[in-house]
Amino acid sequence: MPTNIECSLPDITVGDRDHSLIEWILEEIPQRERFPTAVMLDQELARARIIPASEVPASVVTLGSHFFYREHETGIMRAGTLTIAGVLPGFACHGESSISLLTLLGVALLGLCEGQLISLHAPEGRVCMVSVLKVLAQPRRR
């Protein structure tokens, strides 16, 4: 199955705690019911460098991170929080800035560090580029 993320992919880093949680989420989705974003998330985890959560640099987007990112085609800068809200019961949403891990944007941002850029194919066929400008907080690093 083709990925929606372009071929020249930046290196990504994922903490072991996030990796375990995401693997568990993916295991709960039966293979026959996997939707494209879940397949892409699985592909991203397969290429990620997995390290202890305590060693993840403060500049890396992790689950729960609050950060600024730029949508390059519009030049718009936004604040975001990578979340699993809507994926697991009991996890709160952080309002309009919440970016679900199971969206194309969420998959693309996971594991990126400040200054990294990634391009992805939007559902309507256009190529979008996003970059992480600044990670403000990373609560799952501890």
Side-chain angles (χ1 to χ4, degrees):
M1 176 175 283
T3 181
N4 282 1
I5 298 178
E6 291 280 295
C7 291
S8 61
L9 297 169
D11 293 335
I12 59 173
T13 302
V14 175
D16 56 356
R17 289 176 46 208
D18 282 358
H19 181 262
S20 294
L21 178 59
I22 297 166
E23 283 285 318
W24 180 80
I25 291 167
L26 290 172
E27 286 172 10
E28 293 300 307
I29 302 170
Q31 197 67 29
R32 68 184 179 285
E33 294 176 18
R34 288 245 173 136
F35 43 94
T37 310
V39 172
M40 290 176 353
L41 182 57
D42 198 31
Q43 292 169 346
E44 286 293 276
L45 285 182
R47 71 179 195 86
R49 182 175 68 119
I50 310 302
I51 63 174
S54 61
E55 295 177 17
V56 174
S59 60
V60 172
V61 175
T62 63
L63 287 174
S65 289
H66 305 290
F67 53 91
F68 284 118
Y69 67 100
R70 173 179 286 135
E71 298 172 354
H72 286 266
E73 58 279 348
T74 63
I76 295 174
M77 292 183 282
R78 300 182 190 275
T81 301
L82 190 60
T83 182
I84 54 176
V87 177
L88 293 176
F91 282 83
C93 193
H94 298 284
E96 290 181 23
S97 69
S98 184
I99 300 169
S100 172
L101 178 65
L102 292 180
T103 63
L104 183 57
L105 181 59
V107 171
L109 291 167
L110 177 69
L112 288 182
C113 70
E114 293 172 359
Q116 282 186 307
L117 173 79
I118 192 165
S119 57
L120 49 127
H121 291 285
E124 60 275 4
R126 64 187 172 85
V127 176
C128 302
M129 293 186 357
V130 295
S131 62
V132 176
L133 300 173
K134 179 75 177 156
V135 176
L136 304 171
Q138 194 190 72
R140 287 183 55 84
R141 186 168 169 229
R142 298 180 198 114

